Amino acid sequence: EMSNSEPVSSLKGIGEKTGKLFEKLGVITIDDLLSYYPRAYDTYEPPVPVGQLKEQMVMSVAAALPKPPDLLRTGKIQMVSAYVRDITGALQLAWYNMPYMRGQMYVFRGKVVKKRGRLMMEQPEVFTEEAYETVVNSMQPVYGQTRGLSNKTIVKAEKQALENRQMKREYMPAFLRRKYELAEINYALEHIHFPRDQKELLFARKRLVFDEFFMFLVGVRRLKESREGKKTEFVIRPGEETGRLKESLPYALTSAQERTLQEVFSDLQKGCVMNRLVQGDVGSGKTIVAFLAMADTAHNGYQSAIMAPTEVLARQH
């Protein structure tokens, strides 16, 4: 068992060079690697007849090669081309710089494209029927990659990290895990990388998503507590001017807006630092609440700033 804070390059078969490539992905330690989750999963579906292949999909087909493949050379590139068919249709296969096979039944898996009116798979993976049996219906992780670092290398590293890691200490009480149907943390980490099926993947994912939200909320809560009661010299007393401004609006504020506004005003005159999040649907009138609070600030002789996430919104304001 190795320490999870050790660098990725301490794993077998990952030298300094590969370690540097992992760094580009923000993966420096074993812990980083374990929390570098797949971005998608590749499910090895059972083979289908040629006639059921769909364009632009990655699919598998089982077929025998009726004759040895043709070897074509163009410059330095060798292309091996084969043709398979069953009663439902025909499919062209092409590999570049690949030693070729003969005769027996194989399973070919790759992206199906149409070229010159014919269905074709370029660079399909080749399995014997027995080898495909072992992966059929399994989910293979697909990771975000960087140039020079293949998915295969990442998968190998993840497997090794899972085998040699220090187990995480479970901090969530069992009764809460039962209540919210959450996986144990080490189980979740293992199965987000290598789920057997969709159900296992969703179970693992649910726990990790829960943890991310939970940690975020704990962080926000601690920040709030550390700021609560922090004194400020800026005591902003509500003035009549803001009341008049509100009355002159071409519409009346809703009771929810009025309530929110009163809470903001009461905070502003407490002499404590205020942090508030006003939540509501688009068009529910959050901005007017902010403007009236700013107007009050101005009448008290202070400045405000409003920030907007986009230029369009800034112009509207």
Side-chain angles (χ1 to χ4, degrees):
E1 170 179 306
M2 52 171 39
S3 158
N4 288 2
S5 55
E6 280 190 46
V8 171
S9 52
S10 61
L11 290 170
K12 231 194 290 205
I14 291 181
E16 222 165 288
K17 197 174 146 202
T18 313
K20 284 262 184 292
L21 290 171
F22 269 110
E23 259 176 54
K24 277 190 183 171
L25 300 173
V27 173
I28 293 151
T29 64
I30 304 292
D31 251 337
D32 295 338
L33 184 61
L34 292 171
S35 50
Y36 189 63
Y37 307 140
R39 62 173 175 78
Y41 299 84
D42 209 353
T43 307
Y44 282 65
E45 306 279 354
V48 299
V50 175
Q52 282 178 25
L53 291 174
K54 292 187 178 73
E55 275 180 72
Q56 300 304 318
M57 300 269 288
V58 173
M59 299 180 84
S60 302
V61 71
L65 295 175
K67 65 184 185 65
D70 299 320
L71 185 61
L72 315 164
R73 269 198 176 81
T74 50
K76 284 185 183 165
I77 298 176
Q78 279 191 354
M79 186 174 111
V80 175
S81 169
Y83 196 63
V84 294
R85 63 179 314 139
D86 58 22
I87 53 170
T88 65
L91 176 72
Q92 176 110 32
L93 306 166
W95 295 271
Y96 304 98
N97 299 333
M98 158 106 174
Y100 53 99
M101 317 134 303
R102 320 181 160 271
Q104 76 193 73
M105 279 293 275
Y106 292 100
V107 175
F108 303 101
R109 181 175 188 271
K111 190 173 180 182
V112 181
V113 292
K114 206 167 212 171
K115 284 203 171 169
R116 293 187 289 280
R118 291 163 114 178
L119 278 189
M120 183 174 185
M121 263 185 204
E122 287 183 322
Q123 296 291 80
E125 288 178 272
V126 183
F127 300 83
T128 60
E129 284 189 298
E130 302 76 57
Y132 198 77
E133 269 303 302
T134 65
V135 295
V136 78
N137 291 327
S138 72
M139 295 178 80
Q140 304 298 321
V142 179
Y143 295 92
Q145 291 150 49
T146 183
R147 210 171 149 181
L149 193 60
S150 70
N151 198 56
K152 216 172 181 172
T153 306
I154 302 175
V155 168
K156 237 159 106 180
E158 294 286 4
K159 279 188 172 155
Q160 228 191 108
L162 285 167
E163 277 164 25
N164 301 307
R165 74 194 145 142
Q166 284 167 311
M167 290 294 189
K168 283 196 184 297
R169 202 170 129 222
E170 177 57 272
Y171 67 86
M172 189 161 317
F175 78 91
L176 271 184
R177 292 209 324 264
R178 272 198 301 276
K179 183 178 174 184
Y180 295 111
E181 296 179 338
L182 299 169
E184 188 270 336
I185 188 65
N186 293 291
Y187 175 96
L189 264 179
E190 209 166 301
H191 292 84
I192 192 79
H193 290 287
F194 300 105
R196 272 199 307 250
D197 51 37
Q198 196 69 17
K199 201 170 145 200
E200 226 170 58
L201 166 65
L202 292 176
F203 189 42
R205 187 174 170 272
K206 184 180 173 185
R207 168 66 204 260
L208 297 170
V209 168
F210 184 96
D211 277 28
E212 278 184 29
F213 276 117
F214 179 68
M215 290 305 179
F216 174 71
L217 290 172
V218 168
V220 169
R221 184 78 221 187
R222 287 189 62 180
L223 203 63
K224 189 176 177 206
E225 280 171 9
S226 73
R227 283 178 177 161
E228 257 169 19
K230 240 189 193 163
K231 296 283 173 244
T232 169
E233 288 106 80
F234 304 101
V235 176
I236 291 163
R237 312 209 176 280
E240 287 166 23
E241 296 94 333
T242 310
R244 283 203 293 275
L245 176 61
K246 197 173 71 176
E247 295 311 312
S248 72
L249 289 172
Y251 54 85
L253 294 189
T254 65
S255 57
Q257 282 173 313
E258 284 288 6
R259 196 175 59 243
T260 307
L261 199 54
Q262 289 322 311
E263 285 177 16
V264 170
F265 284 164
S266 104
D267 267 6
L268 289 175
Q269 46 183 320
K270 264 187 194 154
C272 289
V273 171
M274 172 178 83
N275 265 305
R276 275 190 174 273
L277 169 71
V278 177
Q279 207 170 332
D281 290 341
V282 173
S284 62
K286 300 180 290 292
T287 311
I288 192 65
V289 172
F291 273 119
L292 291 169
M294 289 167 79
D296 235 6
T297 312
H299 293 310
N300 278 264
Y302 301 123
Q303 285 186 319
S304 321
I306 185 163
M307 291 198 292
T310 63
E311 191 181 337
V312 172
L313 207 54
R315 284 177 187 284
Q316 282 176 5
H317 288 334

